[in-house]
Amino acid sequence: MTAVPVVIGMRAAHAAPPPADASALVDTHGRVHRDLRISLTDRCSLRCTYCMPEQGNEWLARTSILSTDEIVEIAQVAASLGIRTFRLTGGEPLLRADIIDVVRRVSQIEGADGPVEVAMTTNGITLAKKLPELIDAGLTRLNISIDTVNRQRFADLTRRDRLDDVLEGIAAAAASELRPLKLNAVAMRGVNDDELVDLVAFAMDVGAQLRFIEQMPLDAGHTWDRSTMVTREEILASLGERWDLEPVPGRGGAPAEKWRIDGGPHEVGVIASVTAPFCGACDRLRLTADGQLRNCLFSNAEYDLIDVLRGEGATPGGRSDGIADMLRSCVHGKLPGHAINDPSFLQPARGMNAIGG
């Protein structure tokens, strides 16, 4: 495995200027942006078959990764423009050596409506050991990825025999005060589609909400095949054979539709980015580990903050103004939707681990 600086996709450092009235991050379709997903690293402790190859990955060079100071500087500006939630992702965010410091410093940021919220998506492998410090540092919400509770299947799918570590992390999260606790599972035909009910039952047992995710064209190897994707309707049909499902109203900008199970209190969610896109209510932006802003998970354009942060002559005040301008330009350039179902759709050059989950 090698580490090299990479330039992926189309940079948009000289994007069209945003509207003059930019007190909040509102795009040309009226969507107000309140959520910034920050990738802390492209590296991961698993090699899930739908995400990246087992070997031969080219990681981002460490010199291109944003420092904690740079992350905090960007987050402070974003909060001043209305971002309320920062979700820390990867790769695997817990691989970052200074993860506790990142959580602590971002959680101390004050937005227009008070302290911001810091959430995290993790594979859970080292979570049990780090969770007390993460909570003490200000972590408020947690999503843990688990696509199967079958040991051999987990090893085959992730190419690592680490199910016990993930289950230990989930148990620690379940015993904590972090609520709601969410477990994410990618539904895959011929892989875990016979386990959907078991996964929901497992989540219910630990007091968590299972959220199924339709498999998306975001693998590093570009081998995604629509025929292997288990659709929203198939997921609901499978669960409906076991439970009565009642839609939960008030979704807002959340990516998951939710259903109440047998009248409650348990719920299950489905994120159907492919068959039931929710672009019209999307309020999210993404920041990659190497300082590129993205206004859509499936975008092929990126807005380069590295030059703003590290360019010749950059000053604290100038950096803040430059970050704000780039955030506004990124939002201003957001399209109505991702067009996955259009014949002209092109899969992003970056894999999911390099974009940030």
Side-chain angles (χ1 to χ4, degrees), residues 60-83:
L60 296 170
R62 295 190 185 278
T63 54
S64 70
I65 301 295
L66 292 173
S67 69
T68 300
D69 285 346
E70 290 169 333
I71 290 170
V72 172
E73 188 171 7
I74 294 168
Q76 287 172 332
V77 175
S80 74
L81 295 175
I83 295 294

Side-chain angles (χ1 to χ4, degrees), residues 227-250:
S227 67
T228 67
M229 180 189 72
V230 182
T231 68
R232 167 186 179 272
E233 294 306 316
E234 290 174 301
I235 293 168
L236 294 175
S238 178
L239 301 182
E241 294 179 2
R242 171 64 177 82
W243 297 290
D244 290 327
L245 302 178
E246 175 189 354
V248 177

Side-chain angles (χ1 to χ4, degrees), residues 11 35-37 55 78 91 104-105 124 148 163 208 248 274 314 327:
R11 297 291 187 245
D35 185 306
L36 177 62
R37 313 219 162 177
Q55 298 178 341
R104 178 173 292 109
R105 293 182 62 185
T148 176
L163 179 59
V248 177
V274 179
L327 281 163

Side-chain angles (χ1 to χ4, degrees), residues 327-341:
L327 281 163
R328 295 181 185 119
S329 291
C330 181
V331 169
H332 184 62
K334 190 165 183 172
L335 297 175
H338 55 51
I340 285 178
N341 297 303

Side-chain angles (χ1 to χ4, degrees), residues 100-182:
I100 306 300
D101 191 39
V102 173
V103 172
R104 178 173 292 109
R105 293 182 62 185
V106 174
S107 69
Q108 292 172 349
I109 294 173
E110 291 277 339
D113 300 318
V116 300
E117 184 176 53
V118 181
M120 181 183 293
T121 298
T122 172
N123 63 27
I125 285 179
T126 61
L127 182 62
K129 180 173 65 175
K130 297 178 179 177
L131 187 58
E133 284 187 281
L134 289 167
I135 294 174
D136 183 66
L139 186 70
T140 55
R141 286 194 288 118
L142 191 62
N143 288 27
I144 305 172
S145 300
I146 181 166
D147 299 317
T148 176
V149 291
N150 178 288
R151 185 173 308 281
Q152 185 57 53
R153 184 174 288 177
F154 184 93
D156 292 341
L157 181 60
T158 68
R159 304 185 180 107
R160 300 290 188 272
D161 186 12
R162 304 297 297 273
L163 179 59
D164 285 345
D165 297 312
V166 177
L167 294 178
E168 185 181 5
I170 292 173
S176 76
E177 67 267 32
L178 295 182
R179 291 295 184 277
L181 173 61
K182 298 175 182 178

Side-chain angles (χ1 to χ4, degrees), residues 18-357:
D21 180 12
S23 57
L25 296 173
V26 184
D27 67 17
T28 58
H29 307 283
R31 294 170 295 197
V32 181
H33 291 71
R34 302 182 179 89
D35 185 306
L36 177 62
R37 313 219 162 177
I38 302 176
S39 177
L40 301 182
T41 177
D42 62 328
R43 299 175 187 249
C44 188
S45 41
L46 300 177
R47 296 291 182 273
C48 295
T49 56
Y50 58 82
C51 186
M52 67 174 79
E54 182 174 14
Q55 298 178 341
N57 294 286
E58 290 193 340
W59 308 114
L60 296 170
R62 295 190 185 278
T63 54
S64 70
I65 301 295
L66 292 173
S67 69
T68 300
D69 285 346
E70 290 169 333
I71 290 170
V72 172
E73 188 171 7
I74 294 168
Q76 287 172 332
V77 175
S80 74
L81 295 175
I83 295 294
R84 300 174 183 173
T85 300
F86 295 93
R87 177 170 293 279
L88 306 180
T89 70
E92 172 47 48
L94 294 181
L95 289 180
R96 180 139 175 160
D98 61 349
I99 181 62
I100 306 300
D101 191 39
V102 173
V103 172
R104 178 173 292 109
R105 293 182 62 185
V106 174
S107 69
Q108 292 172 349
I109 294 173
E110 291 277 339
D113 300 318
V116 300
E117 184 176 53
V118 181
M120 181 183 293
T121 298
T122 172
N123 63 27
I125 285 179
T126 61
L127 182 62
K129 180 173 65 175
K130 297 178 179 177
L131 187 58
E133 284 187 281
L134 289 167
I135 294 174
D136 183 66
L139 186 70
T140 55
R141 286 194 288 118
L142 191 62
N143 288 27
I144 305 172
S145 300
I146 181 166
D147 299 317
T148 176
V149 291
N150 178 288
R151 185 173 308 281
Q152 185 57 53
R153 184 174 288 177
F154 184 93
D156 292 341
L157 181 60
T158 68
R159 304 185 180 107
R160 300 290 188 272
D161 186 12
R162 304 297 297 273
L163 179 59
D164 285 345
D165 297 312
V166 177
L167 294 178
E168 185 181 5
I170 292 173
S176 76
E177 67 267 32
L178 295 182
R179 291 295 184 277
L181 173 61
K182 298 175 182 178
L183 305 183
N184 294 343
V186 178
M188 293 163 280
R189 194 176 311 283
V191 177
N192 65 351
D193 54 340
D194 62 341
E195 204 177 344
L196 305 185
V197 168
D198 292 340
L199 284 165
V200 173
F202 169 76
M204 292 166 64
D205 285 344
V206 299
Q209 178 193 117
L210 201 292
R211 307 196 315 168
F212 289 107
I213 303 171
E214 287 185 338
Q215 188 177 0
M216 296 176 282
L218 291 168
D219 59 301
H222 289 206
T223 61
W224 180 79
D225 183 346
R226 184 182 291 267
S227 67
T228 67
M229 180 189 72
V230 182
T231 68
R232 167 186 179 272
E233 294 306 316
E234 290 174 301
I235 293 168
L236 294 175
S238 178
L239 301 182
E241 294 179 2
R242 171 64 177 82
W243 297 290
D244 290 327
L245 302 178
E246 175 189 354
V248 177
R251 176 182 181 181
E257 295 176 89
K258 294 190 294 185
W259 284 264
R260 194 169 291 110
I261 299 172
D262 283 348
H266 298 292
E267 296 177 345
V268 63
V270 179
I271 300 175
S273 299
V274 179
T275 66
F278 41 90
C279 304
C282 181
D283 65 353
R284 290 169 296 286
L285 299 173
R286 282 178 161 79
L287 175 65
T288 67
D290 59 341
Q292 306 303 314
L293 281 170
R294 300 173 64 91
N295 54 30
C296 177
L297 183 58
F298 303 98
S299 176
N300 276 297
E302 296 180 337
Y303 296 73
D304 188 7
L305 282 175
I306 290 296
D307 188 56
V308 173
L309 294 165
R310 303 178 186 177
E312 185 177 351
T315 62
R319 287 198 302 267
S320 294
D321 290 343
I323 293 167
D325 288 344
M326 197 64 73
L327 281 163
R328 295 181 185 119
S329 291
C330 181
V331 169
H332 184 62
K334 190 165 183 172
L335 297 175
H338 55 51
I340 285 178
N341 297 303
D342 189 281
S344 64
F345 174 76
L346 294 175
Q347 182 171 340
R350 290 187 190 250
M352 186 67 167
N353 67 299
I355 294 173

